[in-house]
Amino acid sequence: QLQASGGGLVQAGGSLRLSCAASGRTFGAYIMGWFRQAPGKEREFVAGISRRGDSTDYSDFVKGRFTISRDNAKITVYLEMNSLKPEDTAVYYCAADCRPQGYSIARTLSAYDYWGQGTQVTVSS
Protein backbone atom coordinates (compact mmCIF):
# COMPACT_ATOMS: atom_id res chain seq x y z
CA GLN A 1 0.00 0.00 0.00
CA LEU A 2 1.27 3.45 -0.95
CA GLN A 3 0.21 6.76 0.59
CA ALA A 4 1.24 9.97 -1.15
CA SER A 5 1.21 13.35 0.59
CA GLY A 6 2.74 16.81 0.43
CA GLY A 7 0.82 18.37 -2.41
CA GLY A 8 -0.68 21.82 -2.26
CA LEU A 9 -0.95 25.25 -3.83
CA VAL A 10 2.27 27.11 -4.56
CA GLN A 11 3.28 30.10 -6.65
CA ALA A 12 5.41 29.71 -9.74
CA GLY A 13 9.06 29.44 -8.76
CA GLY A 14 8.20 27.85 -5.45
CA SER A 15 8.96 24.42 -4.06
CA LEU A 16 7.14 21.41 -2.68
CA ARG A 17 8.27 18.09 -1.31
CA LEU A 18 6.10 15.07 -1.93
CA SER A 19 6.32 11.94 0.18
CA CYS A 20 5.12 8.44 -0.50
CA ALA A 21 4.95 6.13 2.48
CA ALA A 22 4.81 2.43 1.79
CA SER A 23 3.82 -0.51 3.90
CA GLY A 24 5.52 -3.87 3.88
CA ARG A 25 9.02 -5.14 4.48
CA THR A 26 9.80 -5.63 0.81
CA PHE A 27 9.88 -1.90 -0.04
CA GLY A 28 13.61 -2.10 -0.64
CA ALA A 29 13.03 -4.67 -3.37
CA TYR A 30 10.93 -2.30 -5.48
CA ILE A 31 11.85 0.28 -8.05
CA MET A 32 9.80 3.37 -7.22
CA GLY A 33 8.41 5.96 -9.57
CA TRP A 34 6.50 9.22 -9.58
CA PHE A 35 3.96 9.97 -12.29
CA ARG A 36 1.59 12.86 -12.85
CA GLN A 37 -1.68 13.46 -14.60
CA ALA A 38 -2.98 16.85 -15.59
CA PRO A 39 -6.66 17.41 -16.44
CA GLY A 40 -7.47 16.05 -19.87
CA LYS A 41 -4.05 14.50 -20.29
CA GLU A 42 -2.60 11.04 -19.94
CA ARG A 43 -0.62 10.02 -16.92
CA GLU A 44 3.08 10.53 -17.55
CA PHE A 45 6.36 9.47 -16.02
CA VAL A 46 8.12 12.08 -13.89
CA ALA A 47 10.97 10.30 -12.12
CA GLY A 48 12.12 6.89 -10.97
CA ILE A 49 14.64 5.51 -8.51
CA SER A 50 16.35 2.16 -8.23
CA ARG A 51 15.98 -0.23 -5.32
CA ARG A 52 19.06 1.01 -3.51
CA GLY A 53 18.64 4.61 -4.58
CA ASP A 54 21.88 4.64 -6.54
CA SER A 55 20.26 5.22 -9.91
CA THR A 56 17.60 7.71 -10.97
CA ASP A 57 15.80 8.69 -14.13
CA TYR A 58 13.92 11.88 -14.95
CA SER A 59 11.73 13.08 -17.74
CA ASP A 60 13.26 15.96 -19.62
CA PHE A 61 10.61 18.41 -18.45
CA VAL A 62 11.66 18.07 -14.78
CA LYS A 63 15.35 17.38 -15.14
CA GLY A 64 17.35 19.84 -13.06
CA ARG A 65 14.30 20.96 -11.08
CA PHE A 66 13.01 17.80 -9.40
CA THR A 67 14.91 15.28 -7.29
CA ILE A 68 13.72 11.81 -6.36
CA SER A 69 15.13 10.06 -3.32
CA ARG A 70 14.23 7.23 -0.98
CA ASP A 71 14.80 6.14 2.57
CA ASN A 72 14.41 2.39 2.76
CA ALA A 73 14.62 2.42 6.55
CA LYS A 74 11.58 4.71 6.61
CA ILE A 75 10.03 2.91 3.60
CA THR A 76 9.40 6.27 2.00
CA VAL A 77 10.17 7.80 -1.37
CA TYR A 78 10.35 11.56 -1.90
CA LEU A 79 10.03 13.99 -4.77
CA GLU A 80 11.62 17.36 -4.15
CA MET A 81 10.18 19.86 -6.63
CA ASN A 82 11.86 23.22 -7.16
CA SER A 83 11.34 26.07 -9.62
CA LEU A 84 7.77 24.95 -10.11
CA LYS A 85 5.89 26.09 -13.19
CA PRO A 86 2.15 26.35 -13.86
CA GLU A 87 2.51 23.46 -16.30
CA ASP A 88 3.59 21.25 -13.38
CA THR A 89 0.02 21.41 -12.09
CA ALA A 90 -1.29 17.85 -11.87
CA VAL A 91 -2.18 15.02 -9.57
CA TYR A 92 1.05 13.28 -8.64
CA TYR A 93 1.13 9.53 -8.07
CA CYS A 94 3.78 7.29 -6.62
CA ALA A 95 4.09 3.75 -7.85
CA ALA A 96 6.01 0.56 -7.13
CA ASP A 97 7.56 -1.73 -9.71
CA CYS A 98 7.72 -5.24 -8.22
CA ARG A 99 9.51 -6.95 -11.07
CA PRO A 100 12.51 -9.05 -10.05
CA GLN A 101 16.13 -7.97 -10.06
CA GLY A 102 17.57 -7.24 -13.47
CA TYR A 103 15.01 -4.71 -14.61
CA SER A 104 15.96 -1.07 -14.83
CA ILE A 105 13.79 1.95 -14.10
CA ALA A 106 10.78 1.92 -16.40
CA ARG A 107 8.88 4.89 -17.75
CA THR A 108 5.80 2.93 -18.77
CA LEU A 109 2.76 2.72 -16.52
CA SER A 110 2.32 -0.99 -17.17
CA ALA A 111 5.61 -1.80 -15.41
CA TYR A 112 4.24 -0.57 -12.08
CA ASP A 113 2.15 -2.85 -9.93
CA TYR A 114 1.02 -0.68 -7.05
CA TRP A 115 -0.16 2.91 -7.07
CA GLY A 116 -0.81 5.50 -4.42
CA GLN A 117 -3.99 7.56 -4.35
CA GLY A 118 -2.38 10.73 -5.72
CA THR A 119 -1.76 14.16 -4.30
CA GLN A 120 -2.77 17.40 -6.01
CA VAL A 121 -0.10 19.95 -6.91
CA THR A 122 -1.31 23.32 -8.15
CA VAL A 123 1.13 25.99 -9.32
CA SER A 124 -0.25 29.47 -9.79
CA SER A 125 1.27 31.99 -12.17
Side-chain angles (χ1 to χ4, degrees):
Q1 187 174 3
L2 303 174
Q3 184 75 28
S5 62
L9 174 64
V10 64
Q11 289 188 333
S15 299
L16 282 174
R17 187 194 197 200
L18 306 184
S19 299
C20 176
S23 59
R25 299 180 181 179
T26 55
F27 174 77
Y30 302 157
I31 290 172
M32 297 299 295
W34 283 98
F35 291 75
R36 71 185 187 186
Q37 188 167 18
K41 295 188 177 181
E42 294 186 348
R43 193 169 299 188
E44 61 183 357
F45 174 81
V46 175
I49 189 166
S50 62
R51 296 169 182 81
R52 296 182 181 180
D54 53 356
S55 178
T56 56
D57 185 31
Y58 297 93
S59 286
D60 288 344
F61 52 78
V62 302
K63 200 170 292 184
R65 300 188 297 124
F66 291 11
T67 302
I68 188 171
S69 61
R70 68 189 295 163
D71 185 334
N72 286 347
K74 295 182 178 179
I75 53 175
T76 301
V77 62
Y78 305 97
L79 186 67
E80 184 77 34
M81 306 186 294
N82 299 313
S83 302
L84 283 161
K85 305 175 181 179
E87 50 263 44
D88 293 319
T89 295
V91 177
Y92 283 72
Y93 299 89
C94 58
D97 175 356
C98 305
R99 293 178 297 170
Q101 293 279 353
Y103 286 92
S104 58
I105 298 167
R107 295 188 173 198
T108 55
L109 276 69
S110 59
Y112 292 82
D113 303 278
Y114 298 104
W115 293 82
Q117 85 288 2
T119 184
Q120 176 70 47
V121 172
T122 303
V123 184
S124 63
S125 57

